[in-house]
Amino acid sequence: MQIHIISVAPELLDSPFAHSILKRAKEKGLLQIQMHNLRKWAINKHGQVDDYQYGGGAGMVMMCEPLVNAIEELQQEKKFDEIIFMTPDGEVFNQPTANKLSLKENILIICGHYKGIDERIRQHYITMEISIGDFVLSGGELAAAIVVDAIGRLIPGVLNDETSALTDSFQDNLLAPPVYTRPANFKGWQVPEVLLQGNTKLIDEWRTEQALIRTKERRPDLLK
Ligand code: ADE
């Protein structure tokens, strides 16, 4: 999969993609991430990519011209399956959306800043608008990092144990059950007996039951 990201602050994403699972995905050639600094397509030598909003009011708006030139230049190289705009008024990101996006070949993500981007870009180029929750960040970069992380680990072959993504929280609309590791007794706190006895049928039953209890307690909305 190839993910291209357009941003006015690409340095913000140097670190999130350089470690752990995403690093491994890139090394295995399963995921390529390319950052593009929007200022490359600035309208003047001052690097301008934003301007005051029509109608007045505080906050700058990212202009059409740099974004269109960036998007169209990248489109000459590649046909994108989705052009995603990160924005707090987008559709709230969740596991089903991550699953769906992990099957795409080429994705372009646009990170907003300031007051957002000119509405005409949203109307004419953007195919999907994603929010990571009901709060406002200072830019779309950290939100994009979250989306790329959630997608990247689902690409087949990225996780060592292919089944482990299937047992994540949310994959079956349930939260994940509790997990334990050695020692079996720590300060007198015991690991549940069923996990120590090696009976996989009983363990599966216990895990399903615990997942249900946890979901009922913490996220009853998921069971509706
Ligand atoms: N940009 C600013 N806030 C955001 C949010 N909550 N989700 C996605 N992009 C954003």
mmCIF file of all heavy atoms in Angstrom, residues 1-3 5 16-17 19-33 93 95 97-104 107 109 143-160 162 164-165 168 171:
data_model
loop_
_atom_site.group_PDB
_atom_site.id
_atom_site.type_symbol
_atom_site.label_atom_id
_atom_site.label_comp_id
_atom_site.label_asym_id
_atom_site.label_seq_id
_atom_site.Cartn_x
_atom_site.Cartn_y
_atom_site.Cartn_z
ATOM 1 N N MET A 1 0.835 -1.193 0.000
ATOM 2 C CA MET A 1 0.000 0.000 0.000
ATOM 3 C C MET A 1 0.872 1.246 0.000
ATOM 4 O O MET A 1 1.925 1.274 0.609
ATOM 5 C CB MET A 1 -0.877 0.019 1.266
ATOM 6 C CG MET A 1 -1.665 1.294 1.423
ATOM 7 S SD MET A 1 -2.524 1.426 2.986
ATOM 8 C CE MET A 1 -3.873 0.351 2.701
ATOM 9 N N GLN A 2 0.429 2.251 -0.711
ATOM 10 C CA GLN A 2 1.135 3.538 -0.695
ATOM 11 C C GLN A 2 0.243 4.593 -0.065
ATOM 12 O O GLN A 2 -0.913 4.742 -0.464
ATOM 13 C CB GLN A 2 1.460 3.982 -2.114
ATOM 14 C CG GLN A 2 2.687 3.310 -2.670
ATOM 15 C CD GLN A 2 3.325 4.164 -3.769
ATOM 16 O OE1 GLN A 2 3.028 5.350 -3.913
ATOM 17 N NE2 GLN A 2 4.202 3.545 -4.523
ATOM 18 N N ILE A 3 0.788 5.299 0.913
ATOM 19 C CA ILE A 3 0.045 6.395 1.534
ATOM 20 C C ILE A 3 0.834 7.683 1.309
ATOM 21 O O ILE A 3 2.010 7.767 1.684
ATOM 22 C CB ILE A 3 -0.172 6.151 3.037
ATOM 23 C CG1 ILE A 3 -0.964 4.855 3.251
ATOM 24 C CG2 ILE A 3 -0.916 7.330 3.663
ATOM 25 C CD1 ILE A 3 -1.243 4.523 4.705
ATOM 26 N N ILE A 5 0.918 11.803 1.997
ATOM 27 C CA ILE A 5 0.337 12.758 2.955
ATOM 28 C C ILE A 5 0.792 14.173 2.601
ATOM 29 O O ILE A 5 1.994 14.416 2.457
ATOM 30 C CB ILE A 5 0.770 12.422 4.399
ATOM 31 C CG1 ILE A 5 0.341 10.990 4.761
ATOM 32 C CG2 ILE A 5 0.190 13.431 5.391
ATOM 33 C CD1 ILE A 5 0.801 10.519 6.133
ATOM 34 N N PRO A 16 6.317 9.206 14.192
ATOM 35 C CA PRO A 16 5.291 8.154 14.322
ATOM 36 C C PRO A 16 5.468 6.987 13.352
ATOM 37 O O PRO A 16 5.078 5.869 13.666
ATOM 38 C CB PRO A 16 3.985 8.894 14.036
ATOM 39 C CG PRO A 16 4.257 10.311 14.316
ATOM 40 C CD PRO A 16 5.711 10.538 14.044
ATOM 41 N N PHE A 17 6.058 7.243 12.190
ATOM 42 C CA PHE A 17 6.169 6.170 11.197
ATOM 43 C C PHE A 17 7.540 5.499 11.221
ATOM 44 O O PHE A 17 7.845 4.673 10.379
ATOM 45 C CB PHE A 17 5.887 6.717 9.794
ATOM 46 C CG PHE A 17 4.556 7.413 9.680
ATOM 47 C CD1 PHE A 17 4.404 8.520 8.864
ATOM 48 C CD2 PHE A 17 3.453 6.947 10.390
ATOM 49 C CE1 PHE A 17 3.174 9.164 8.759
ATOM 50 C CE2 PHE A 17 2.222 7.587 10.290
ATOM 51 C CZ PHE A 17 2.085 8.698 9.479
ATOM 52 N N HIS A 19 9.007 3.809 13.806
ATOM 53 C CA HIS A 19 9.220 2.836 14.872
ATOM 54 C C HIS A 19 8.281 1.650 14.753
ATOM 55 O O HIS A 19 7.259 1.716 14.080
ATOM 56 C CB HIS A 19 8.994 3.499 16.240
ATOM 57 C CG HIS A 19 9.841 4.711 16.435
ATOM 58 N ND1 HIS A 19 11.147 4.648 16.817
ATOM 59 C CD2 HIS A 19 9.561 6.026 16.238
ATOM 60 C CE1 HIS A 19 11.646 5.869 16.873
ATOM 61 N NE2 HIS A 19 10.703 6.721 16.516
ATOM 62 N N SER A 20 8.671 0.594 15.447
ATOM 63 C CA SER A 20 7.766 -0.502 15.740
ATOM 64 C C SER A 20 7.112 -1.087 14.487
ATOM 65 O O SER A 20 7.768 -1.345 13.481
ATOM 66 C CB SER A 20 6.729 0.021 16.745
ATOM 67 O OG SER A 20 5.819 -0.943 17.103
ATOM 68 N N ILE A 21 5.799 -1.264 14.542
ATOM 69 C CA ILE A 21 5.107 -2.034 13.508
ATOM 70 C C ILE A 21 5.126 -1.325 12.155
ATOM 71 O O ILE A 21 5.330 -1.949 11.117
ATOM 72 C CB ILE A 21 3.664 -2.337 13.973
ATOM 73 C CG1 ILE A 21 3.744 -3.382 15.095
ATOM 74 C CG2 ILE A 21 2.800 -2.852 12.837
ATOM 75 C CD1 ILE A 21 2.443 -3.633 15.802
ATOM 76 N N LEU A 22 4.955 -0.013 12.161
ATOM 77 C CA LEU A 22 4.954 0.696 10.872
ATOM 78 C C LEU A 22 6.345 0.676 10.248
ATOM 79 O O LEU A 22 6.483 0.564 9.028
ATOM 80 C CB LEU A 22 4.472 2.135 11.033
ATOM 81 C CG LEU A 22 2.983 2.309 11.328
ATOM 82 C CD1 LEU A 22 2.573 3.759 11.208
ATOM 83 C CD2 LEU A 22 2.114 1.450 10.423
ATOM 84 N N LYS A 23 7.353 0.743 11.083
ATOM 85 C CA LYS A 23 8.728 0.657 10.578
ATOM 86 C C LYS A 23 8.926 -0.699 9.902
ATOM 87 O O LYS A 23 9.457 -0.789 8.792
ATOM 88 C CB LYS A 23 9.703 0.825 11.741
ATOM 89 C CG LYS A 23 11.155 0.737 11.333
ATOM 90 C CD LYS A 23 12.058 0.955 12.537
ATOM 91 C CE LYS A 23 13.509 0.755 12.148
ATOM 92 N NZ LYS A 23 14.288 0.298 13.306
ATOM 93 N N ARG A 24 8.448 -1.741 10.580
ATOM 94 C CA ARG A 24 8.596 -3.089 10.033
ATOM 95 C C ARG A 24 7.812 -3.237 8.723
ATOM 96 O O ARG A 24 8.285 -3.818 7.753
ATOM 97 C CB ARG A 24 8.119 -4.127 11.055
ATOM 98 C CG ARG A 24 8.848 -5.431 10.887
ATOM 99 C CD ARG A 24 8.457 -6.497 11.905
ATOM 100 N NE ARG A 24 8.030 -6.033 13.197
ATOM 101 C CZ ARG A 24 6.920 -6.452 13.801
ATOM 102 N NH1 ARG A 24 6.132 -7.335 13.215
ATOM 103 N NH2 ARG A 24 6.598 -6.030 14.995
ATOM 104 N N ALA A 25 6.618 -2.646 8.689
ATOM 105 C CA ALA A 25 5.788 -2.719 7.472
ATOM 106 C C ALA A 25 6.512 -2.065 6.295
ATOM 107 O O ALA A 25 6.488 -2.567 5.166
ATOM 108 C CB ALA A 25 4.454 -2.036 7.707
ATOM 109 N N LYS A 26 7.201 -0.953 6.581
ATOM 110 C CA LYS A 26 7.930 -0.262 5.511
ATOM 111 C C LYS A 26 9.123 -1.102 5.082
ATOM 112 O O LYS A 26 9.397 -1.248 3.893
ATOM 113 C CB LYS A 26 8.385 1.124 5.988
ATOM 114 C CG LYS A 26 7.209 2.090 6.137
ATOM 115 C CD LYS A 26 7.660 3.532 6.233
ATOM 116 C CE LYS A 26 8.303 3.836 7.566
ATOM 117 N NZ LYS A 26 8.712 5.225 7.716
ATOM 118 N N GLU A 27 9.824 -1.682 6.069
ATOM 119 C CA GLU A 27 11.004 -2.496 5.745
ATOM 120 C C GLU A 27 10.639 -3.728 4.930
ATOM 121 O O GLU A 27 11.387 -4.173 4.071
ATOM 122 C CB GLU A 27 11.733 -2.898 7.031
ATOM 123 C CG GLU A 27 12.517 -1.745 7.619
ATOM 124 C CD GLU A 27 13.008 -2.015 9.035
ATOM 125 O OE1 GLU A 27 12.683 -3.088 9.598
ATOM 126 O OE2 GLU A 27 13.688 -1.143 9.583
ATOM 127 N N LYS A 28 9.461 -4.281 5.207
ATOM 128 C CA LYS A 28 9.007 -5.463 4.455
ATOM 129 C C LYS A 28 8.472 -5.086 3.080
ATOM 130 O O LYS A 28 8.056 -5.955 2.310
ATOM 131 C CB LYS A 28 7.884 -6.165 5.228
ATOM 132 C CG LYS A 28 8.327 -6.983 6.430
ATOM 133 C CD LYS A 28 7.088 -7.685 7.007
ATOM 134 C CE LYS A 28 7.397 -8.578 8.185
ATOM 135 N NZ LYS A 28 6.143 -9.069 8.806
ATOM 136 N N GLY A 29 8.399 -3.789 2.805
ATOM 137 C CA GLY A 29 7.892 -3.332 1.508
ATOM 138 C C GLY A 29 6.373 -3.421 1.391
ATOM 139 O O GLY A 29 5.822 -3.321 0.294
ATOM 140 N N LEU A 30 5.697 -3.583 2.519
ATOM 141 C CA LEU A 30 4.233 -3.699 2.475
ATOM 142 C C LEU A 30 3.554 -2.335 2.538
ATOM 143 O O LEU A 30 2.393 -2.195 2.174
ATOM 144 C CB LEU A 30 3.749 -4.559 3.648
ATOM 145 C CG LEU A 30 4.271 -5.997 3.647
ATOM 146 C CD1 LEU A 30 3.990 -6.692 4.971
ATOM 147 C CD2 LEU A 30 3.645 -6.776 2.500
ATOM 148 N N LEU A 31 4.284 -1.365 3.028
ATOM 149 C CA LEU A 31 3.709 -0.026 3.204
ATOM 150 C C LEU A 31 4.756 1.010 2.818
ATOM 151 O O LEU A 31 5.913 0.918 3.239
ATOM 152 C CB LEU A 31 3.307 0.168 4.677
ATOM 153 C CG LEU A 31 2.787 1.541 5.077
ATOM 154 C CD1 LEU A 31 1.491 1.866 4.340
ATOM 155 C CD2 LEU A 31 2.554 1.604 6.585
ATOM 156 N N GLN A 32 4.334 1.953 1.984
ATOM 157 C CA GLN A 32 5.206 3.089 1.674
ATOM 158 C C GLN A 32 4.475 4.348 2.098
ATOM 159 O O GLN A 32 3.294 4.509 1.777
ATOM 160 C CB GLN A 32 5.461 3.175 0.177
ATOM 161 C CG GLN A 32 6.502 2.211 -0.315
ATOM 162 C CD GLN A 32 6.787 2.456 -1.794
ATOM 163 O OE1 GLN A 32 5.952 3.000 -2.512
ATOM 164 N NE2 GLN A 32 7.942 2.064 -2.234
ATOM 165 N N ILE A 33 5.184 5.203 2.818
ATOM 166 C CA ILE A 33 4.559 6.461 3.242
ATOM 167 C C ILE A 33 5.386 7.605 2.664
ATOM 168 O O ILE A 33 6.602 7.643 2.861
ATOM 169 C CB ILE A 33 4.518 6.575 4.775
ATOM 170 C CG1 ILE A 33 3.714 5.412 5.371
ATOM 171 C CG2 ILE A 33 3.885 7.902 5.191
ATOM 172 C CD1 ILE A 33 3.782 5.318 6.882
ATOM 173 N N PHE A 93 -13.723 8.118 12.933
ATOM 174 C CA PHE A 93 -12.936 6.942 12.562
ATOM 175 C C PHE A 93 -13.204 5.781 13.521
ATOM 176 O O PHE A 93 -13.333 5.979 14.721
ATOM 177 C CB PHE A 93 -11.451 7.323 12.634
ATOM 178 C CG PHE A 93 -10.519 6.311 12.060
ATOM 179 C CD1 PHE A 93 -10.601 5.934 10.728
ATOM 180 C CD2 PHE A 93 -9.517 5.750 12.842
ATOM 181 C CE1 PHE A 93 -9.722 5.014 10.184
ATOM 182 C CE2 PHE A 93 -8.631 4.836 12.309
ATOM 183 C CZ PHE A 93 -8.739 4.467 10.982
ATOM 184 N N GLN A 95 -12.957 1.040 13.770
ATOM 185 C CA GLN A 95 -12.288 -0.167 13.266
ATOM 186 C C GLN A 95 -12.823 -0.612 11.898
ATOM 187 O O GLN A 95 -12.017 -0.963 11.025
ATOM 188 C CB GLN A 95 -12.381 -1.294 14.299
ATOM 189 C CG GLN A 95 -11.415 -2.435 14.058
ATOM 190 C CD GLN A 95 -9.959 -2.001 14.141
ATOM 191 O OE1 GLN A 95 -9.585 -1.193 15.002
ATOM 192 N NE2 GLN A 95 -9.116 -2.504 13.259
ATOM 193 N N THR A 97 -13.868 1.192 9.496
ATOM 194 C CA THR A 97 -13.261 2.069 8.480
ATOM 195 C C THR A 97 -11.786 1.714 8.298
ATOM 196 O O THR A 97 -11.275 1.680 7.170
ATOM 197 C CB THR A 97 -13.409 3.552 8.884
ATOM 198 O OG1 THR A 97 -14.792 3.803 9.136
ATOM 199 C CG2 THR A 97 -12.925 4.480 7.792
ATOM 200 N N ALA A 98 -11.097 1.414 9.397
ATOM 201 C CA ALA A 98 -9.689 1.004 9.291
ATOM 202 C C ALA A 98 -9.575 -0.276 8.464
ATOM 203 O O ALA A 98 -8.714 -0.393 7.583
ATOM 204 C CB ALA A 98 -9.092 0.800 10.688
ATOM 205 N N ASN A 99 -10.452 -1.227 8.731
ATOM 206 C CA ASN A 99 -10.432 -2.490 7.973
ATOM 207 C C ASN A 99 -10.596 -2.221 6.483
ATOM 208 O O ASN A 99 -9.865 -2.769 5.651
ATOM 209 C CB ASN A 99 -11.567 -3.413 8.430
ATOM 210 C CG ASN A 99 -11.362 -3.938 9.842
ATOM 211 O OD1 ASN A 99 -10.266 -3.855 10.394
ATOM 212 N ND2 ASN A 99 -12.414 -4.450 10.451
ATOM 213 N N LYS A 100 -11.583 -1.388 6.158
ATOM 214 C CA LYS A 100 -11.892 -1.092 4.756
ATOM 215 C C LYS A 100 -10.690 -0.407 4.076
ATOM 216 O O LYS A 100 -10.288 -0.781 2.972
ATOM 217 C CB LYS A 100 -13.119 -0.169 4.725
ATOM 218 C CG LYS A 100 -13.944 -0.259 3.476
ATOM 219 C CD LYS A 100 -15.284 0.450 3.630
ATOM 220 C CE LYS A 100 -15.095 1.925 3.915
ATOM 221 N NZ LYS A 100 -16.308 2.657 4.265
ATOM 222 N N LEU A 101 -10.101 0.561 4.768
ATOM 223 C CA LEU A 101 -8.990 1.304 4.161
ATOM 224 C C LEU A 101 -7.744 0.438 4.009
ATOM 225 O O LEU A 101 -6.934 0.662 3.112
ATOM 226 C CB LEU A 101 -8.672 2.557 4.981
ATOM 227 C CG LEU A 101 -9.718 3.671 4.895
ATOM 228 C CD1 LEU A 101 -9.379 4.814 5.851
ATOM 229 C CD2 LEU A 101 -9.817 4.216 3.464
ATOM 230 N N SER A 102 -7.585 -0.566 4.870
ATOM 231 C CA SER A 102 -6.372 -1.400 4.807
ATOM 232 C C SER A 102 -6.349 -2.237 3.531
ATOM 233 O O SER A 102 -5.326 -2.809 3.190
ATOM 234 C CB SER A 102 -6.269 -2.299 6.042
ATOM 235 O OG SER A 102 -7.218 -3.343 5.967
ATOM 236 N N LEU A 103 -7.473 -2.309 2.824
ATOM 237 C CA LEU A 103 -7.526 -3.091 1.584
ATOM 238 C C LEU A 103 -7.235 -2.240 0.337
ATOM 239 O O LEU A 103 -7.175 -2.755 -0.765
ATOM 240 C CB LEU A 103 -8.908 -3.751 1.437
ATOM 241 C CG LEU A 103 -9.309 -4.652 2.610
ATOM 242 C CD1 LEU A 103 -10.745 -5.128 2.460
ATOM 243 C CD2 LEU A 103 -8.355 -5.842 2.708
ATOM 244 N N LYS A 104 -7.057 -0.940 0.525
ATOM 245 C CA LYS A 104 -6.809 -0.047 -0.623
ATOM 246 C C LYS A 104 -5.334 -0.099 -1.038
ATOM 247 O O LYS A 104 -4.468 -0.462 -0.245
ATOM 248 C CB LYS A 104 -7.171 1.397 -0.256
ATOM 249 C CG LYS A 104 -8.562 1.574 0.316
ATOM 250 C CD LYS A 104 -9.601 1.616 -0.760
ATOM 251 C CE LYS A 104 -10.982 1.847 -0.172
ATOM 252 N NZ LYS A 104 -12.059 1.745 -1.122
ATOM 253 N N ILE A 107 -3.583 5.695 -1.162
ATOM 254 C CA ILE A 107 -4.403 6.655 -0.413
ATOM 255 C C ILE A 107 -3.648 7.984 -0.338
ATOM 256 O O ILE A 107 -2.434 8.002 -0.130
ATOM 257 C CB ILE A 107 -4.659 6.120 1.018
ATOM 258 C CG1 ILE A 107 -5.575 4.897 0.968
ATOM 259 C CG2 ILE A 107 -5.281 7.196 1.898
ATOM 260 C CD1 ILE A 107 -5.784 4.259 2.333
ATOM 261 N N ILE A 109 -3.732 11.516 1.836
ATOM 262 C CA ILE A 109 -4.310 12.158 3.021
ATOM 263 C C ILE A 109 -3.914 13.632 3.044
ATOM 264 O O ILE A 109 -2.731 13.962 2.890
ATOM 265 C CB ILE A 109 -3.836 11.474 4.322
ATOM 266 C CG1 ILE A 109 -4.239 9.993 4.341
ATOM 267 C CG2 ILE A 109 -4.412 12.189 5.545
ATOM 268 C CD1 ILE A 109 -3.776 9.241 5.588
ATOM 269 N N ALA A 143 -3.771 13.357 13.761
ATOM 270 C CA ALA A 143 -4.935 12.531 13.412
ATOM 271 C C ALA A 143 -4.560 11.574 12.276
ATOM 272 O O ALA A 143 -4.911 10.389 12.297
ATOM 273 C CB ALA A 143 -6.102 13.419 13.012
ATOM 274 N N ALA A 144 -3.819 12.083 11.290
ATOM 275 C CA ALA A 144 -3.395 11.232 10.166
ATOM 276 C C ALA A 144 -2.499 10.104 10.674
ATOM 277 O O ALA A 144 -2.586 8.962 10.209
ATOM 278 C CB ALA A 144 -2.661 12.068 9.115
ATOM 279 N N ALA A 145 -1.623 10.422 11.646
ATOM 280 C CA ALA A 145 -0.727 9.397 12.194
ATOM 281 C C ALA A 145 -1.540 8.259 12.797
ATOM 282 O O ALA A 145 -1.218 7.078 12.626
ATOM 283 C CB ALA A 145 0.196 10.008 13.252
ATOM 284 N N ILE A 146 -2.612 8.609 13.475
ATOM 285 C CA ILE A 146 -3.460 7.602 14.113
ATOM 286 C C ILE A 146 -4.132 6.727 13.061
ATOM 287 O O ILE A 146 -4.157 5.493 13.157
ATOM 288 C CB ILE A 146 -4.484 8.306 15.031
ATOM 289 C CG1 ILE A 146 -3.752 8.754 16.303
ATOM 290 C CG2 ILE A 146 -5.672 7.407 15.355
ATOM 291 C CD1 ILE A 146 -4.507 9.712 17.160
ATOM 292 N N VAL A 147 -4.638 7.371 12.027
ATOM 293 C CA VAL A 147 -5.314 6.615 10.967
ATOM 294 C C VAL A 147 -4.321 5.696 10.247
ATOM 295 O O VAL A 147 -4.600 4.510 10.016
ATOM 296 C CB VAL A 147 -6.004 7.597 9.980
ATOM 297 C CG1 VAL A 147 -6.461 6.897 8.720
ATOM 298 C CG2 VAL A 147 -7.184 8.273 10.668
ATOM 299 N N VAL A 148 -3.132 6.223 9.933
ATOM 300 C CA VAL A 148 -2.131 5.408 9.222
ATOM 301 C C VAL A 148 -1.685 4.230 10.100
ATOM 302 O O VAL A 148 -1.526 3.109 9.620
ATOM 303 C CB VAL A 148 -0.916 6.268 8.797
ATOM 304 C CG1 VAL A 148 0.218 5.408 8.268
ATOM 305 C CG2 VAL A 148 -1.340 7.294 7.744
ATOM 306 N N ASP A 149 -1.522 4.471 11.381
ATOM 307 C CA ASP A 149 -1.129 3.389 12.290
ATOM 308 C C ASP A 149 -2.205 2.292 12.314
ATOM 309 O O ASP A 149 -1.904 1.100 12.186
ATOM 310 C CB ASP A 149 -0.914 3.955 13.698
ATOM 311 C CG ASP A 149 -0.323 2.921 14.639
ATOM 312 O OD1 ASP A 149 -1.072 2.025 15.089
ATOM 313 O OD2 ASP A 149 0.877 2.984 14.897
ATOM 314 N N ALA A 150 -3.451 2.722 12.456
ATOM 315 C CA ALA A 150 -4.551 1.740 12.541
ATOM 316 C C ALA A 150 -4.683 0.942 11.242
ATOM 317 O O ALA A 150 -4.955 -0.262 11.270
ATOM 318 C CB ALA A 150 -5.864 2.460 12.855
ATOM 319 N N ILE A 151 -4.464 1.609 10.104
ATOM 320 C CA ILE A 151 -4.560 0.925 8.811
ATOM 321 C C ILE A 151 -3.346 0.023 8.597
ATOM 322 O O ILE A 151 -3.464 -1.130 8.186
ATOM 323 C CB ILE A 151 -4.582 1.933 7.632
ATOM 324 C CG1 ILE A 151 -5.781 2.868 7.706
ATOM 325 C CG2 ILE A 151 -4.581 1.206 6.304
ATOM 326 C CD1 ILE A 151 -5.698 3.995 6.675
ATOM 327 N N GLY A 152 -2.158 0.592 8.881
ATOM 328 C CA GLY A 152 -0.897 -0.087 8.554
ATOM 329 C C GLY A 152 -0.776 -1.452 9.197
ATOM 330 O O GLY A 152 -0.353 -2.415 8.564
ATOM 331 N N ARG A 153 -1.190 -1.559 10.450
ATOM 332 C CA ARG A 153 -1.036 -2.834 11.151
ATOM 333 C C ARG A 153 -1.993 -3.893 10.639
ATOM 334 O O ARG A 153 -1.830 -5.077 10.929
ATOM 335 C CB ARG A 153 -1.175 -2.638 12.665
ATOM 336 C CG ARG A 153 -2.516 -2.078 13.079
ATOM 337 C CD ARG A 153 -2.497 -1.640 14.531
ATOM 338 N NE ARG A 153 -2.389 -2.759 15.456
ATOM 339 C CZ ARG A 153 -3.388 -3.588 15.754
ATOM 340 N NH1 ARG A 153 -4.570 -3.424 15.198
ATOM 341 N NH2 ARG A 153 -3.204 -4.578 16.599
ATOM 342 N N LEU A 154 -3.005 -3.463 9.850
ATOM 343 C CA LEU A 154 -3.975 -4.427 9.313
ATOM 344 C C LEU A 154 -3.576 -4.969 7.941
ATOM 345 O O LEU A 154 -4.183 -5.927 7.458
ATOM 346 C CB LEU A 154 -5.360 -3.770 9.197
ATOM 347 C CG LEU A 154 -6.020 -3.360 10.515
ATOM 348 C CD1 LEU A 154 -7.281 -2.567 10.233
ATOM 349 C CD2 LEU A 154 -6.347 -4.597 11.356
ATOM 350 N N ILE A 155 -2.585 -4.353 7.314
ATOM 351 C CA ILE A 155 -2.187 -4.827 5.982
ATOM 352 C C ILE A 155 -1.670 -6.262 6.127
ATOM 353 O O ILE A 155 -0.833 -6.536 6.988
ATOM 354 C CB ILE A 155 -1.086 -3.917 5.384
ATOM 355 C CG1 ILE A 155 -1.626 -2.494 5.208
ATOM 356 C CG2 ILE A 155 -0.593 -4.460 4.044
ATOM 357 C CD1 ILE A 155 -0.554 -1.480 4.847
ATOM 358 N N PRO A 156 -2.198 -7.188 5.303
ATOM 359 C CA PRO A 156 -1.787 -8.587 5.449
ATOM 360 C C PRO A 156 -0.264 -8.738 5.412
ATOM 361 O O PRO A 156 0.390 -8.161 4.554
ATOM 362 C CB PRO A 156 -2.449 -9.266 4.234
ATOM 363 C CG PRO A 156 -3.624 -8.388 3.916
ATOM 364 C CD PRO A 156 -3.188 -6.991 4.250
ATOM 365 N N GLY A 157 0.262 -9.475 6.382
ATOM 366 C CA GLY A 157 1.709 -9.708 6.444
ATOM 367 C C GLY A 157 2.436 -8.763 7.370
ATOM 368 O O GLY A 157 3.592 -8.981 7.709
ATOM 369 N N VAL A 158 1.773 -7.674 7.802
ATOM 370 C CA VAL A 158 2.468 -6.705 8.660
ATOM 371 C C VAL A 158 2.640 -7.246 10.082
ATOM 372 O O VAL A 158 3.732 -7.220 10.630
ATOM 373 C CB VAL A 158 1.734 -5.345 8.672
ATOM 374 C CG1 VAL A 158 2.275 -4.446 9.765
ATOM 375 C CG2 VAL A 158 1.887 -4.667 7.311
ATOM 376 N N LEU A 159 1.574 -7.757 10.653
ATOM 377 C CA LEU A 159 1.711 -8.349 11.992
ATOM 378 C C LEU A 159 2.271 -9.755 11.845
ATOM 379 O O LEU A 159 1.921 -10.483 10.920
ATOM 380 C CB LEU A 159 0.357 -8.392 12.699
ATOM 381 C CG LEU A 159 -0.236 -7.032 13.056
ATOM 382 C CD1 LEU A 159 -1.540 -7.191 13.807
ATOM 383 C CD2 LEU A 159 0.741 -6.209 13.881
ATOM 384 N N ASN A 160 3.149 -10.140 12.743
ATOM 385 C CA ASN A 160 3.753 -11.468 12.675
ATOM 386 C C ASN A 160 2.708 -12.560 12.751
ATOM 387 O O ASN A 160 2.637 -13.451 11.932
ATOM 388 C CB ASN A 160 4.739 -11.665 13.822
ATOM 389 C CG ASN A 160 6.033 -10.968 13.509
ATOM 390 O OD1 ASN A 160 6.297 -10.662 12.344
ATOM 391 N ND2 ASN A 160 6.818 -10.707 14.525
ATOM 392 N N GLU A 162 -0.735 -13.392 12.163
ATOM 393 C CA GLU A 162 -1.824 -12.823 11.355
ATOM 394 C C GLU A 162 -3.145 -12.762 12.113
ATOM 395 O O GLU A 162 -3.983 -11.930 11.831
ATOM 396 C CB GLU A 162 -2.014 -13.660 10.091
ATOM 397 C CG GLU A 162 -0.938 -13.416 9.070
ATOM 398 C CD GLU A 162 -1.427 -12.564 7.915
ATOM 399 O OE1 GLU A 162 -2.478 -11.943 8.055
ATOM 400 O OE2 GLU A 162 -0.745 -12.539 6.893
ATOM 401 N N SER A 164 -3.549 -11.986 15.162
ATOM 402 C CA SER A 164 -3.630 -11.123 16.338
ATOM 403 C C SER A 164 -4.481 -9.886 16.084
ATOM 404 O O SER A 164 -5.107 -9.389 16.988
ATOM 405 C CB SER A 164 -2.248 -10.778 16.862
ATOM 406 O OG SER A 164 -1.691 -9.752 16.116
ATOM 407 N N ALA A 165 -4.530 -9.403 14.828
ATOM 408 C CA ALA A 165 -5.404 -8.256 14.580
ATOM 409 C C ALA A 165 -6.874 -8.655 14.716
ATOM 410 O O ALA A 165 -7.719 -7.839 15.073
ATOM 411 C CB ALA A 165 -5.153 -7.674 13.190
ATOM 412 N N ASP A 168 -8.230 -8.183 18.239
ATOM 413 C CA ASP A 168 -8.214 -6.842 18.827
ATOM 414 C C ASP A 168 -9.590 -6.469 19.347
ATOM 415 O O ASP A 168 -10.595 -6.989 18.874
ATOM 416 C CB ASP A 168 -7.889 -5.791 17.756
ATOM 417 C CG ASP A 168 -6.440 -5.817 17.337
ATOM 418 O OD1 ASP A 168 -5.626 -6.374 18.074
ATOM 419 O OD2 ASP A 168 -6.153 -5.277 16.258
ATOM 420 N N GLN A 171 -12.901 -5.699 16.792
ATOM 421 C CA GLN A 171 -12.972 -6.447 15.537
ATOM 422 C C GLN A 171 -14.292 -7.203 15.428
ATOM 423 O O GLN A 171 -14.786 -7.408 14.343
ATOM 424 C CB GLN A 171 -11.778 -7.394 15.363
ATOM 425 C CG GLN A 171 -10.513 -6.714 14.859
ATOM 426 C CD GLN A 171 -10.627 -6.037 13.496
ATOM 427 O OE1 GLN A 171 -11.712 -5.888 12.942
ATOM 428 N NE2 GLN A 171 -9.515 -5.588 12.961
#
